[in-house]
Amino acid sequence: MSADRKVVRAVDPSQIAKHFDPADVQARFNERWEEEGTYAYDPSASREDSFVIDTPPPTVSGSLHIGHVFSYTQTDVVARYQRMRGKNVYYPMGWDDNGLPTERRVQNYYHVRCDPGTPYEGGLALEAATAKQRKGPARLVSRKNFIELCEVLTEIDEQAFLDLWQKVGLSVDWTQEYRTIGDRARTLAQHSFLDLWRKGRVYTQFAPTMWDVDFQTAVAQAEVQDRELPGAYHHLEFGVEGGDESFVIATTRPELLPACVGVTAHPEDERYEHLFGRNAVTPLFFAPVPIFPSELADPEKGSGILMVCTFGDATDVLWWRDEGLAMRQVLGRAGRLMPVRFDADGSEGFQSLQPDKANAFYEQIQGKRVKQAQAAIVELLADPAGSATGSRPPLCREIEPIQHPVKFYEQGDTPLEYLPTRQWFARLLDVKDEMLAKGEEIQWHPPFMHARYRDWTENLSLDWSISRQRYSGVAIPVWYPLDAEGERDYENPIVATEEQLPVDPTSDTPPGYDESQRNQPGGFAAETDIFDTWFTSSLSPQIGSHWVLDPERHAKLFPADVRPQAHEIIRTWAFYTIAKALLHENQIPWKHVLVSGWVLDPDRKKMSKSKGNTVTPVPLVEKHNADSTRYWAASARLGVDTAFDEGVFKIGKRLVTKIFNAGKFVLSQQGPAAPVSSELDRAFVASLRELAAQATRDFDDFNYAHVLQNTETFFWTHFTDTYLELAKPRARRFVDGECDGEDEALACGSAIAALRLGLDVLLRMFAPTLPYITEEVWSWVFAEEKGQPTIHRAPWPSEADFAEIPAPENPASFDLAVAAFTAINKCKADHEVSMGREVERLVLCANPATLAAAGPVLADVFAATRCREHRLHEDAALEDGVFEAREPSFAPKPPKR
RNA sequence: GGGCGUGUAGCUCAGUUGGCUAGAGCAUCUCGUUUACACCGAGAGGGUCCGCGGUUCGAGUCCGUGCACGCCCACCA
């Protein structure tokens, strides 16, 4: 070897820990990454050079779930890839800490209820309620105290999430943290409202709305879900005014009988045709109500004729509106039957042909909740005195149990009711077509998720109800003028000015008024409602970009590149975010939606607290390590639900250990610095190059799982099990003192260079998924050698890594070497000798073409298998590329030292 | 009731545009251990690719149909 040849810088393996210690490595690098701002967004970079992520702000009041780790890690893998591609990655974290879920958690945690009538108590600090306290009535606290409790608890909850994110190594830029209850989010949500108001996109209306009687608030169509519940048909006999006819209706809600305002059947139903235009008489309350035909009545269902109430369901609302029926509201906002009076002329809304009897009956159900009222009215219906036709009891047939879908607020426990209330709405029905067009412009991953959005949008039937009668949230920036009688003028609300934002109408004064005029006739009154929490979170891209607060920044961050999210909230979060971007700026909010799948329990059932099959993430991440956990998450493709399998964590752990050991071996090889020149090395590099190209294509399509799988397979089968073993003897020649000639030096140097290139490229390909082990191995040599202190800012492998290296003479060289290597290993296994055992001699057989083609790499094979003497034998019967090792004789087992 | 997805080895999953003599890991069995790694290595066994029908020279892959499971949605009589 010539004297001027440089020797590669190698690590001393004794300086490296015997085993990989994840806890130490995680702590060390988390600190360093934060110090060095490894993941910081650079606001000066151009839009084209940036990659913008609209991170889902987790609902902090929800419990930590293994699904969080799963989906957020998947996004992080994409973020890390883009960063290595040289993109300036904007990767923020927001906390969704306003809205009903927060309130519900506060109510449960402290066992309190908000009561706006209770006076404020300064310095109120509560502990989590004890089991004993929970048995008693909830403590009433003022609105202000309640909101303060929300603040305190969400901060605790946010810390738990933050800890988890750091435990799994999310490469979030923590300087870009936001809260949906924070000032910026408030300002922008209120600005959104102002903009929509100016554009005529929001309006207020008194109308029947879906109402949760426990939370006592309106809810939107998107937050409603059906639950299959047992119910029962009750068959009630109705009379007909001015005759002795009767008919029987079937109802599942007999308690709404006093609210009956009409009766309907299908127009072509011969049984009831003759009744249209006449009045029916209700049992118990003797209310005369019109009988009208409707296409919506199904002759097959129940008895084919049914009662219309204010309001039993959405169809009742339609009939009530279309037929101009009376309003007889019996159900109050708290879900109890309100006091009402029946009289002969209906002057108070409740007409009855026999008011005394009607009132007597009603008194028995008044004040009861829906379920109790139902039980009570069933008893009353057995009383012949309540009959509208004669002396038979009006409940005329056995109660028939059924299972039927009932609407619930998705966070609620009691069925929803339709109550007439005043609400704010955003007009979405008239932009359906534009919404659908925007959906086409967005790339959905996987593509079938687009159908979820399209179906929901096409079937939208109500405008978006954006007001909530709650406390923790962003205030609707509106006041109402009061007339001389002190009545609110809802037609002419006073909307806040941009300069006032963020504004709280309950303490701030509307423009042109004086605080002394609050709640005075001729003065003003505050809107006390808050926004639906989605009204704020649908602005997450704009909250990140600062929107109107910083137009220059907004231009660089909006629209975002990707929105990662779960599929069950396509109809809410994705849908509303698209709506906002459309209505405000006629834009799409992001170019790609990445829809993650779910983690199912091992029996492929959805995990839920009630089933007790949830997995708590923190102990799991601690038991395995961050990289293994990330390996598990990144193994699942987008949109695919995965059964939870702890075995996958173990495989990840094994991979991490292997990377550690392979890295230690490769980087401790000392030898001449030389280019990759030997045929086997060139063939190995050629396959590595192909792997990298494929991985880049996959990653550009967000197919991180494919990249991981292919890289892992390559690492194991092409690198550690084969190439590393085949190149090992040659790489060691220098240390073994067998590198005297120039050719030997070049061959040794070639092996070391190719091993290092293999490790270097594979580390970078693993880096997005396994940030800790790759950073650790990177830090031993590459960080200094390449002048890049962190692998997470190193360039993603590209053609540039391979440009200097000549293509192999024969592209099949690598596979041929492996085939020969495998044949000799199999021979050793068949003879039950160790892989390391020396072979005195053997005969390697293959067909003539194969043998000839493998010529240039066989020396490495014989060296790796420790064959001292060998003979090649042409056997034309063997297929191309197949080797067999025959007639071996093995050296004696060396004595144990 | 409508829409979408899934169904491949005992388990968890890959299988691009139809070329498969169907793969990987785990688990099982056999063998092997001084020098990167027992958190290891070599080898073996294991499958009517959910059923049925069709298109094709050829189907795990495309079409039709049925079944099972899951999810989303739907007008509570």
Side-chain angles (χ1 to χ4, degrees):
Chain A
M1 172 180 165
S2 55
D4 59 341
R5 189 175 293 284
K6 283 186 182 159
V7 172
V8 294
R9 179 173 172 268
V11 291
D12 175 356
S14 64
Q15 296 301 301
I16 295 172
K18 177 90 179 127
H19 297 295
F20 176 54
D21 178 359
D24 165 61
V25 168
Q26 283 163 218
R28 199 147 38 86
F29 288 130
N30 277 349
E31 196 178 315
R32 220 186 75 190
W33 292 334
E34 180 156 2
E35 261 172 32
E36 296 177 1
T38 306
Y39 308 125
Y41 165 70
D42 173 7
S44 67
S46 72
R47 179 65 186 89
E48 298 74 59
D49 292 335
S50 299
F51 185 81
V52 182
I53 300 170
D54 179 22
T55 316
T59 306
V60 293
S61 50
S63 49
L64 294 174
H65 190 275
I66 189 65
H68 285 119
V69 171
F70 188 68
S71 55
Y72 280 80
T73 298
Q74 293 170 350
T75 304
D76 186 62
V77 171
V78 171
R80 287 177 179 277
Y81 164 70
Q82 292 291 343
R83 199 176 288 113
M84 292 178 77
R85 285 299 298 271
K87 294 283 187 180
N88 173 41
V89 175
Y90 178 69
Y91 187 14
M93 185 60 67
W95 308 113
D96 193 8
D97 43 17
N98 86 44
L100 272 175
T102 301
E103 290 196 16
R104 191 161 120 131
R105 176 152 157 78
V106 167
Q107 289 182 2
N108 293 339
Y109 190 85
Y110 297 113
H111 197 50
V112 297
R113 293 289 179 276
C114 178
D115 173 36
T118 301
Y120 176 67
E121 201 178 324
L124 177 72
L126 295 180
E127 300 283 313
T130 60
K132 197 179 161 192
Q133 285 171 326
R134 279 170 213 278
K135 280 184 190 156
R139 175 174 183 160
L140 295 180
V141 297
S142 70
R143 182 184 173 119
K144 194 172 170 191
N145 282 124
F146 188 72
I147 291 171
E148 283 173 3
L149 289 173
C150 290
E151 279 279 326
V152 170
L153 192 57
T154 51
E155 276 186 24
I156 296 171
D157 291 339
E158 281 159 26
Q159 191 59 43
F161 269 89
L162 195 142
D163 289 347
L164 179 63
W165 296 155
Q166 297 197 326
K167 269 199 165 61
V168 295
L170 295 196
S171 62
V172 160
D173 179 353
W174 289 102
T175 63
Q176 306 289 340
E177 217 174 321
Y178 69 86
R179 308 175 77 196
T180 58
I181 199 71
D183 275 353
R184 185 165 84 236
R186 280 173 189 274
T187 301
L188 294 178
Q190 292 181 333
H191 168 75
S192 165
F193 178 86
L194 264 47
D195 189 48
L196 295 179
W197 171 257
R198 283 192 290 267
K199 289 174 170 153
R201 289 289 171 191
V202 286
Y203 62 94
T204 163
Q205 189 182 45
F206 187 82
T209 322
M210 284 182 280
W211 183 269
D212 186 291
V213 297
D214 291 333
F215 287 113
Q216 299 197 34
T217 181
V219 301
Q221 188 187 352
E223 295 167 296
V224 174
Q225 60 180 215
D226 285 358
R227 295 181 201 161
E228 195 78 14
L229 282 194
Y233 278 135
H234 300 71
H235 300 270
L236 315 186
E237 188 180 41
F238 277 50
V240 178
E241 196 177 16
D244 34 2
E245 265 190 273
S246 73
F247 58 89
V248 173
I249 63 111
T251 179
T252 54
R253 304 212 49 188
E255 71 278 12
L256 289 179
L257 187 60
C260 178
V261 292
V263 165
T264 187
H266 195 271
E268 282 157 30
D269 194 327
E270 290 173 359
R271 295 169 293 181
Y272 307 113
E273 253 177 334
H274 64 287
L275 295 174
F276 297 140
R278 299 178 66 183
N279 275 346
V281 179
T282 63
L284 296 187
F285 306 103
F286 308 100
V289 297
I291 306 171
F292 62 92
S294 166
E295 300 276 351
L296 295 173
D298 180 357
E300 303 292 316
K301 225 168 174 179
S303 57
I305 189 163
L306 63 126
M307 68 171 182
V308 178
C309 305
T310 51
F311 295 94
D313 63 26
T315 331
D316 281 351
V317 177
L318 286 180
W319 282 316
W320 168 76
R321 196 185 61 201
D322 295 349
E323 299 292 324
L325 301 174
M327 168 75 81
R328 287 179 192 148
Q329 188 62 35
V330 297
L331 199 65
R333 293 188 173 200
R336 292 179 185 275
L337 296 191
M338 300 187 293
V340 303
R341 279 304 293 166
F342 289 87
D343 58 31
D345 59 3
S347 55
E348 287 180 55
F350 289 77
Q351 191 186 3
S352 172
L353 303 176
Q354 303 189 46
D356 291 347
K357 275 167 96 176
N359 285 323
F361 281 124
Y362 191 80
E363 271 170 29
Q364 320 232 3
I365 55 171
Q366 183 185 317
K368 291 185 190 301
R369 285 179 67 99
V370 170
K371 271 187 127 171
Q372 286 102 46
Q374 184 175 104
I377 208 158
V378 166
E379 274 183 39
L380 297 180
L381 284 164
D383 181 351
S387 171
T389 53
S391 53
R392 296 186 299 273
L395 185 62
C396 57
R397 234 197 281 160
E398 289 225 337
I399 295 170
E400 182 191 334
I402 53 162
Q403 285 286 123
H404 64 159
V406 179
K407 285 193 186 311
F408 281 79
Y409 171 46
E410 57 191 3
Q411 315 270 346
D413 302 317
T414 309
L416 289 173
E417 299 292 347
Y418 283 85
L419 293 188
T421 55
R422 178 163 291 279
Q423 303 294 342
W424 283 92
F425 294 88
R427 275 181 222 285
L428 295 185
L429 291 177
D430 29 349
V431 290
K432 264 191 191 185
D433 290 344
E434 290 91 328
M435 291 283 292
L436 288 167
K438 291 296 181 219
E440 300 288 336
E441 280 180 52
I442 295 164
Q443 308 273 312
W444 301 77
H445 305 271
F448 67 76
M449 290 295 178
H450 183 197
R452 298 260 176 113
Y453 170 80
R454 202 173 40 220
D455 292 353
W456 174 259
T457 307
E458 278 169 356
N459 293 321
L460 193 70
S461 61
L462 298 169
D463 277 337
W464 179 11
S465 163
I466 56 173
S467 48
R468 296 291 181 273
Q469 291 66 52
R470 298 300 306 180
Y471 316 103
S472 159
V474 178
I476 300 181
V478 158
W479 301 262
Y480 302 98
L482 299 178
D483 65 14
E485 278 77 49
E487 291 296 315
R488 295 177 175 209
D489 178 3
Y490 287 108
E491 298 306 310
N492 299 291
I494 310 156
V495 174
T497 62
E498 295 282 352
E499 296 72 38
Q500 287 181 290
L501 307 185
V503 68
D504 179 358
T506 62
S507 56
D508 296 321
T509 315
Y513 286 83
D514 192 88
E515 186 55 31
S516 65
Q517 292 173 279
R518 186 180 294 272
N519 298 331
Q520 300 301 315
F524 68 91
E527 171 63 86
T528 52
D529 286 0
I530 59 169
F531 286 123
D532 173 13
T533 176
W534 294 116
F535 192 84
T536 307
S537 41
S538 59
L539 293 167
S540 58
Q542 291 94 330
I543 295 171
S545 73
H546 296 194
W547 198 13
V548 285
L549 300 174
D550 186 347
E552 201 181 321
R553 178 182 161 106
H554 181 60
K556 284 183 173 178
L557 292 174
F558 188 90
D561 287 281
V562 295
R563 150 67 69 91
Q565 72 161 77
H567 51 65
E568 77 274 20
I569 53 174
I570 288 176
R571 64 168 168 162
T572 48
W573 195 36
F575 176 81
Y576 291 140
T577 309
I578 294 170
K580 286 287 187 80
L582 169 76
L583 294 176
H584 290 307
E585 299 186 82
N586 191 23
Q587 279 270 27
I588 50 170
W590 1 257
K591 296 168 193 154
H592 302 271
V593 181
L594 311 187
V595 184
S596 59
W598 272 343
V599 183
L600 306 175
D601 79 0
D603 299 326
R604 301 203 67 85
K605 299 276 177 243
K606 189 176 164 180
M607 285 188 177
S608 69
K609 265 191 176 168
S610 54
K611 284 189 211 138
N613 59 355
T614 51
V615 176
T616 319
V618 173
L620 196 74
V621 179
E622 281 171 355
K623 176 177 167 192
H624 304 281
N625 56 56
D627 283 341
S628 315
T629 306
R630 295 171 59 95
Y631 173 89
W632 163 74
S635 295
R637 291 169 301 153
L638 279 177
V640 176
D641 296 345
T642 308
F644 180 72
D645 177 11
E646 225 173 318
V648 181
F649 288 75
K650 292 186 186 148
I651 299 163
K653 196 169 181 180
R654 204 170 68 108
L655 174 63
V656 167
T657 306
K658 193 77 173 177
I659 292 172
F660 179 85
N661 286 314
K664 192 160 66 170
F665 171 76
V666 169
L667 293 174
S668 61
Q669 297 308 306
Q670 277 192 323
V676 174
S677 58
S678 300
E679 173 67 6
L680 178 70
D681 307 334
R682 282 153 62 182
F684 165 72
V685 171
S687 63
L688 182 66
R689 176 186 198 155
E690 205 174 304
L691 172 78
Q694 177 64 43
T696 305
R697 285 194 293 275
D698 282 337
F699 245 139
D700 284 339
D701 200 28
F702 304 101
N703 202 342
Y704 53 83
H706 228 178
V707 177
L708 174 59
Q709 193 194 344
N710 288 339
T711 309
E712 183 191 13
T713 302
F714 186 97
F715 173 73
W716 224 277
T717 66
H718 279 60
F719 195 56
T720 62
D721 285 349
T722 54
Y723 178 67
L724 202 144
E725 294 299 333
L726 288 165
K728 190 189 283 183
R730 196 149 39 86
R732 277 192 181 142
R733 274 189 206 166
F734 176 79
V735 195
D736 294 345
E738 294 167 13
C739 256
D740 297 337
E742 181 69 8
D743 285 354
E744 281 86 353
L746 284 176
C748 173
S750 171
I752 291 175
L755 283 169
R756 287 194 167 214
L757 180 65
L759 179 68
D760 169 20
V761 167
L762 288 168
L763 278 182
R764 281 183 280 149
M765 291 179 67
F766 278 129
T769 311
L770 311 173
Y772 293 101
I773 182 63
T774 53
E775 184 78 319
E776 169 70 4
V777 177
W778 183 264
S779 72
W780 295 339
V781 169
F782 294 140
E784 196 183 317
E785 191 176 280
K786 294 167 184 289
Q788 178 46 265
T790 171
I791 193 172
H792 301 299
R793 289 278 183 178
W796 178 254
S798 69
E799 282 304 303
D801 288 295
F802 311 106
E804 311 274 295
I805 297 166
E809 300 294 332
N810 177 5
S813 285
F814 187 77
D815 290 341
L816 288 166
V818 170
F821 182 59
T822 304
I824 298 173
N825 283 342
K826 180 166 162 43
C827 179
K828 286 183 172 175
D830 288 346
H831 290 82
E832 301 187 350
V833 304
S834 94
M835 292 302 120
R837 182 82 75 87
E838 274 194 78
V839 183
E840 300 271 7
R841 59 182 169 279
L842 61 69
V843 182
L844 185 66
C845 308
N847 72 35
T850 301
L851 224 40
V857 294
L858 286 182
D860 282 327
V861 174
F862 291 124
T865 50
R866 310 190 69 187
C867 290
R868 290 220 285 255
E869 261 182 57
H870 56 264
R871 195 157 60 79
L872 300 181
H873 174 73
E874 293 186 351
D875 183 343
L878 291 172
E879 283 178 41
D880 282 347
V882 173
F883 291 87
E884 265 185 38
R886 296 175 190 161
E887 302 166 36
S889 78
F890 301 100
K893 203 170 167 180
K896 277 208 166 125
R897 243 193 281 167

